[in-house]
Amino acid sequence: MKKYVLAGFMAIGILSMNAQESINRSMTVQKGDVIEIGHPSTSTYKHIKFPRANFIIKRGGIANYKSVQGDEVIVTDVKTTKNGITKVDVKHKDGKRFFNTVSTVTINFEDALATNEIRL
């Protein structure tokens, strides 16, 4: 009887490990993937690190955050911090700059995906 109980627990453990792996694989991003910038939940983006409006204006750009909504960007670098947070560097798909000032921005991937600031 003990053997059946032990075998049952092992089977449940193996099945739950496989389920966890499939979830993690679907949320990974790799260099070269295309991401679409979505609509922020507030007036500014919280998890996409765009420069502040005064720096954009100082460099001669136009600080209009609505102009980047719906833009497609390419992942140039993926980093994972010690805390398990995935930071992604992106650039425009067509090569132009964000707000005519910066060429790449950093995104906190999991949080931005959860708040619909980006879409895969």
Side-chain angles (χ1 to χ4, degrees):
M1 182 68 173
K2 290 180 184 179
K3 290 181 183 180
Y4 293 120
V5 172
L6 181 62
F9 282 126
M10 287 179 60
I12 290 172
I14 290 171
L15 291 174
S16 66
M17 284 193 302
N18 287 337
Q20 295 297 323
E21 284 182 25
S22 65
I23 291 171
N24 290 337
R25 287 183 190 155
S26 66
M27 297 222 17
T28 59
V29 65
Q30 297 176 353
K31 186 176 180 181
D33 288 349
V34 177
I35 297 173
E36 182 181 351
I37 297 176
H39 302 286
S41 56
T42 61
S43 62
T44 59
Y45 289 92
K46 186 175 180 182
H47 305 290
I48 301 176
K49 302 301 178 197
F50 288 124
R52 293 189 333 209
N54 63 334
F55 290 114
I56 295 170
I57 294 168
K58 198 181 282 187
R59 292 182 181 176
I62 300 170
N64 182 8
Y65 292 105
K66 289 184 180 182
S67 66
V68 296
Q69 292 177 0
D71 287 351
E72 291 185 343
V73 293
I74 297 176
V75 176
T76 59
D77 191 24
V78 179
K79 300 174 198 165
T80 304
T81 62
K82 293 178 183 177
N83 300 335
I85 299 170
T86 305
K87 300 282 184 172
V88 177
D89 291 337
V90 296
K91 67 176 184 177
H92 262 283
K93 188 175 181 180
D94 56 2
K96 67 180 185 177
R97 295 175 175 247
F98 295 98
F99 311 110
N100 294 329
T101 56
V102 289
S103 57
T104 61
V105 294
T106 304
I107 299 174
N108 184 343
F109 182 71
E110 289 88 6
D111 294 336
L113 194 61
T115 59
N116 294 327
E117 290 184 6
I118 60 172
R119 290 182 235 139
L120 296 177

